């Protein structure tokens, strides 16, 4: 009789292999990004995680590094689950993110310019005043 051996690990091992904290792993589990771990037996509360869970966590970590939100990552995981994570589909989502980043960068540069422009209203002689015009309201 052949027994199929699946590589299983507990949360500490999973944490070491992914570099994610135990709390983060539990959070992803609670949010449904990774499958709920199986309890080893009824006598202890140890949960076992599969190699597939490890792979998903590494993908989640990679996508977080790219700046994707958990909702966006969930979409990617859905593509993978339904075998529709083609380069075309993934590239399209990546390009959407790049456009969003470009838009955000433009907004941040506009805010930066606004702040720098506002600094002109602070004259050097007013620097010792207790009422800076930048944080006061003039009606």
């Amino acid at each position: 009789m052949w027994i199929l051996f699946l590589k299983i690990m507990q949360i500490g091992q999973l944490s070491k292999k992914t570099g994610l904290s135990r709390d983060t792993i539990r959070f992803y589990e609670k949010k449904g990004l990774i499958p709920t771990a199986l309890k080893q037996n009824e006598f202890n509360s140890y949960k076992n995680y599969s190699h597939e869970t490890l792979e998903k966590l590494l993908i989640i970590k990679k996508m977080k590094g790219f700046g994707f939100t958990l909702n966006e990552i969930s979409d990617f995981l859905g593509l993978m689950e339904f075998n529709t994570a083609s380069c075309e589909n993934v590239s399209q989502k990546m390009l959407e993110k790049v456009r969003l980043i470009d838009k955000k960068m433009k907004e941040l540069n506009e805010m930066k310019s606004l702040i720098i422009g506002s600094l002109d209203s602070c004259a050097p002689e007013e620097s010792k005043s207790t009422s800076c015009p930048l944080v006061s309201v003039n009606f």
Side-chain angles (χ1 to χ4, degrees):
M1 174 196 272
W2 293 94
I3 298 174
L4 180 61
F5 177 74
L6 296 175
K7 179 68 176 160
I8 57 174
M9 60 201 87
Q10 293 174 353
I11 197 165
Q13 296 166 302
L14 203 55
S15 178
K16 279 184 182 179
K17 289 183 182 218
T18 61
L20 299 170
S21 72
R22 294 170 189 226
D23 288 338
T24 299
I25 294 168
R26 287 186 195 105
F27 178 76
Y28 291 162
E29 185 176 8
K30 183 179 176 184
K31 289 291 185 184
L33 293 172
I34 60 172
T36 303
L38 302 172
K39 289 194 177 182
Q40 188 172 7
N41 62 47
E42 60 193 65
F43 302 111
N44 64 41
S45 61
Y46 296 148
K47 292 180 175 181
N48 291 316
Y49 295 88
S50 68
H51 183 73
E52 289 77 22
T53 300
L54 170 64
E55 289 176 353
K56 270 191 173 183
L57 286 170
L58 291 172
I59 290 167
I60 292 168
K61 184 176 179 180
K62 182 178 187 177
M63 300 309 285
K64 287 287 292 172
F66 286 150
F68 286 95
T69 66
L70 291 181
N71 287 336
E72 292 166 333
I73 292 169
S74 180
D75 291 343
F76 280 106
L77 295 174
L79 289 175
M80 292 169 55
E81 186 174 327
F82 293 108
N83 262 350
T84 56
S86 66
C87 282
E88 183 180 352
N89 290 340
V90 172
S91 294
Q92 184 62 36
K93 289 197 172 291
M94 293 274 192
L95 288 172
E96 288 172 19
K97 188 65 171 182
V98 168
R99 284 190 284 275
L100 185 65
I101 291 169
D102 286 340
K103 180 181 174 192
K104 190 66 173 176
M105 287 174 62
K106 182 181 177 202
E107 291 170 357
L108 289 170
N109 279 323
E110 288 171 359
M111 282 193 293
K112 178 182 174 184
S113 295
L114 183 63
I115 291 170
I116 290 172
S118 297
L119 291 174
D120 292 340
S121 67
C122 281
E125 63 274 0
E126 294 178 10
S127 65
K128 294 182 181 176
S129 171
T130 58
S131 180
C132 178
L134 288 176
V135 292
S136 63
V137 179
N138 297 324
F139 292 104

